Amino acid sequence: MAAAAKDLAASYIDSEREKLKDLSLALWNNPEVGFEEHKAHQTVTDFFEERGFTVQREYRLPTAFRAEFTNGAGPNICIICEYDALPEIGHACGHNLICEAGVAASIAVKAALAANLITGKLTVLGTPAEEGGGGKIDLINAGAFDDIDCAMMVHPFGGNFIYISWLAIQRVMS
């Protein structure tokens, strides 16, 4: 079943390739600084709603969101999307790519959930103001991560590494 879920997820991302690229370019062409990501918020939440996610706009912060899809019992896995830009230089840090990758991973996991290949809950959190605004910290303090079993995201970088030193990591022991 794992191979089938992986194959479905990959093919679903491939089928959405152009729309994912358009999403990233929409963010790139409309850079918004922290806590002012109104166009990005609208664009990304529309994308999720169009694909069957339950979306809570303005989730605990005006430009944050929470999108969910559930199929049965299981862990609540969170994928994080960032979409803010830097003043004067826009998306030089690649948050449009973070968002595109997070959206791609999310719709792929949702496809596997919807096909009954995996069970559990997928939560996508849109976290604004990551370039110096501390949006994730505000969301943590507001309880946005309280029901999350595992959260993950990607961040682009200008090189390939065999070993990476983590900026933040917490080991969870049961």
Side-chain angles (χ1 to χ4, degrees), residues 38-116:
H38 301 287
K39 289 179 188 173
H41 180 268
Q42 184 72 42
T43 300
V44 179
T45 54
D46 285 351
F47 195 95
F48 281 120
E49 282 183 341
E50 291 164 6
R51 284 153 186 83
F53 285 79
T54 301
V55 176
Q56 296 175 64
R57 296 171 191 262
E58 300 179 21
Y59 179 72
R60 311 218 173 160
L61 295 172
T63 56
F65 70 85
R66 182 176 180 123
E68 298 176 336
F69 188 84
T70 303
N71 177 31
N76 184 359
I77 305 301
C78 177
I79 298 174
I80 297 169
C81 295
E82 296 180 359
Y83 35 84
D84 63 322
L86 291 161
E88 300 181 25
I89 58 173
H91 283 289
C93 198
H95 288 199
N96 63 306
L97 300 175
I98 291 171
C99 189
E100 179 186 14
V103 170
S106 299
I107 63 174
V109 171
K110 181 200 174 268
L113 284 164
N116 241 358

Side-chain angles (χ1 to χ4, degrees), residues 144-155:
F145 289 85
D146 287 356
D147 66 334
I148 303 295
D149 295 307
C150 173
M152 64 190 90
M153 64 171 284
V154 299
H155 199 295

